[in-house]
Amino acid sequence: MSSKIHTRKAVIVGAGRVGSHAALCLMFQHLVNEIVFLDVNPAAAAAQAGDLNDLASGLGDNFVIRVGDYSDCKDAHFVILTAGRSRRPGETRLQMLDGTIKILEGIVGPIRDSGFHGILISVSNPCDVVTEYLYRNLGLPRSQVFGTGTLLDSARLRRALSEIIGVNSKQIQAICMGEHGDSSFIPTSHISVQGIDLREYLSLTHRNVSSLDFDDIMKRVRESGSSIVLGKGCTEFGIGSIVASIVLAVLHNEKIVVPLSAHLDGEYGESGICAGVPCVLGAQGIEQVLEIDLSYDERKAMRKSCGIIRENVEKAMPTVKEA
């Protein structure tokens, strides 16, 4: 970061259900001491702040939770972007593109002009396209502008594998890569159980890797979000916890490896887009994009997914040159 930030202040752009639950998770883990909501509906944002202040008071905690304006971004450690319209039942994330870009057009300039130089975490869908839009327009290094990407997909993947092979999900190392959407894929060659290669683990437990239907597992992962949207209108708790885990890793300089939507500059043979790839996350944000070895089929899946992202980036930003 260009200059050290001493605050533990988070500005959340979008005070809806995702933004409010991200705030809730930050509060429960005592990760920040000031949360500022920005929203096109100040009254709704004020109501969210009031409700969360009641929670803080009931818990005996001391937080500053308020509604502000874009000048609050100047000294914020984090800007968390959750603004955008809700995903409708049966709709893909990419179908939200036009509406989200229109919203972003009124947000990016004020954030940039505020002098913000912290870490921006993008949650809004379609995540990879939005993150690339932010990267190109904010003028910050890629280490400081990234999206939640396939981090939630990966949590859903570990849960599915946990249910199938009967191991605590914390013991499973597995990620999804590519688009946070229908073209994401599982690099199965990198799945392990507490450091033991999945195939070896299954052999040791007298099971065969062929007993795992990865096409079906990926289908379950992809459809998990849409089934939640169909049932209750949105996803909120899972993504809120994902945001908090990112903030925790930055504040504690954890240097964990997680799949985030990062701007690619030659990695995996791709440039000019953001996609979900494993990254080292620490105090400076994304400290390194890791280019892991992929099998032929996995490389093919990565190219396909990145092609879909690129097509939509060009649709969203036909006249914007890469930064």
Side-chain angles (χ1 to χ4, degrees):
M1 285 176 259
S2 55
S3 61
K4 190 171 178 62
I5 297 176
H6 297 283
T7 69
R8 285 171 56 210
K9 174 181 179 181
V11 172
I12 300 179
V13 184
R17 292 166 76 171
V18 173
S20 62
H21 278 92
L24 184 68
C25 290
L26 293 174
M27 290 172 62
F28 278 152
Q29 296 187 48
H30 293 263
L31 295 176
V32 297
N33 53 26
E34 183 176 6
I35 296 172
V36 181
F37 283 119
L38 306 183
D39 198 277
V40 292
N41 187 338
Q48 293 283 32
D51 203 6
L52 289 168
N53 274 311
D54 285 346
L55 169 68
S57 180
L59 294 174
D61 289 330
N62 183 28
F63 291 102
V64 174
I65 308 162
R66 61 183 176 84
V67 178
D69 57 40
Y70 284 99
S71 65
D72 281 296
C73 297
K74 182 176 183 178
D75 65 342
H77 199 145
F78 302 94
V79 167
I80 301 164
L81 181 71
T82 69
R85 69 170 179 81
S86 299
R87 184 179 172 192
R88 302 185 184 103
E91 185 178 43
T92 69
R93 297 175 181 91
L94 289 172
Q95 288 174 306
M96 302 168 67
L97 178 59
D98 291 344
T100 301
I101 292 298
K102 288 178 182 176
I103 292 170
L104 289 177
E105 288 172 351
I107 291 173
V108 172
I111 292 176
R112 182 184 60 236
D113 296 343
S114 73
F116 171 66
H117 57 285
I119 289 173
L120 188 141
I121 304 167
S122 180
V123 183
S124 302
N125 281 314
C127 181
D128 307 288
V129 181
V130 169
T131 306
E132 180 65 21
Y133 181 95
L134 295 168
Y135 170 75
R136 294 191 189 188
N137 286 281
L138 286 176
L140 293 170
R142 75 169 178 177
S143 59
Q144 293 172 228
V145 181
F146 53 86
T148 49
T150 51
L151 192 48
L152 181 56
D153 309 74
S154 300
R156 291 167 173 163
L157 168 61
R158 290 191 296 274
R159 181 175 51 138
L161 288 171
S162 171
E163 293 169 356
I164 293 168
I165 67 176
V167 174
N168 189 306
S169 62
K170 291 182 180 179
Q171 298 282 297
I172 299 173
Q173 292 80 47
I175 62 171
C176 294
M177 290 179 62
E179 177 204 0
H180 175 50
D182 292 341
S183 68
S184 60
F185 70 97
I186 305 167
T188 58
S189 60
H190 290 275
I191 299 177
S192 62
V193 179
Q194 198 60 15
I196 304 170
D197 179 80
L198 178 63
R199 289 165 179 78
E200 182 181 359
Y201 176 82
L202 291 173
S203 174
L204 291 170
T205 55
H206 309 293
R207 299 180 64 177
N208 194 299
V209 70
S210 62
S211 64
L212 296 182
D213 184 343
F214 280 107
D215 288 337
D216 182 66
I217 292 170
M218 191 69 253
K219 184 172 182 283
R220 286 175 59 180
V221 171
R222 289 171 180 163
E223 293 180 353
S224 178
S226 58
S227 66
I228 294 171
V229 170
L230 180 63
K232 58 177 279 187
C234 73
T235 61
E236 52 193 321
F237 301 118
I239 191 61
S241 69
I242 290 297
V243 170
S245 71
I246 292 172
V247 171
L248 175 67
V250 171
L251 291 177
H252 290 196
N253 194 25
E254 289 188 333
K255 299 188 184 297
I256 57 174
V257 176
V258 286
L260 298 169
S261 184
H263 176 77
L264 299 180
D265 188 18
E267 297 89 356
Y268 302 97
E270 303 289 344
S271 297
I273 60 167
C274 288
V277 292
C279 302
V280 179
L281 184 63
Q284 303 303 311
I286 291 180
E287 300 190 352
Q288 187 178 354
V289 172
L290 302 177
E291 189 171 0
I292 62 174
D293 186 34
L294 299 176
S295 69
Y296 173 80
D297 287 340
E298 291 162 0
R299 290 197 304 272
K300 187 176 177 181
M302 183 67 172
R303 283 195 301 272
K304 178 182 177 182
S305 192
C306 288
I308 291 171
I309 296 169
R310 178 171 290 102
E311 178 183 334
N312 283 275
V313 165
E314 291 172 354
K315 187 186 301 181
M317 296 167 277
T319 61
V320 179
K321 299 295 184 182
E322 183 187 343

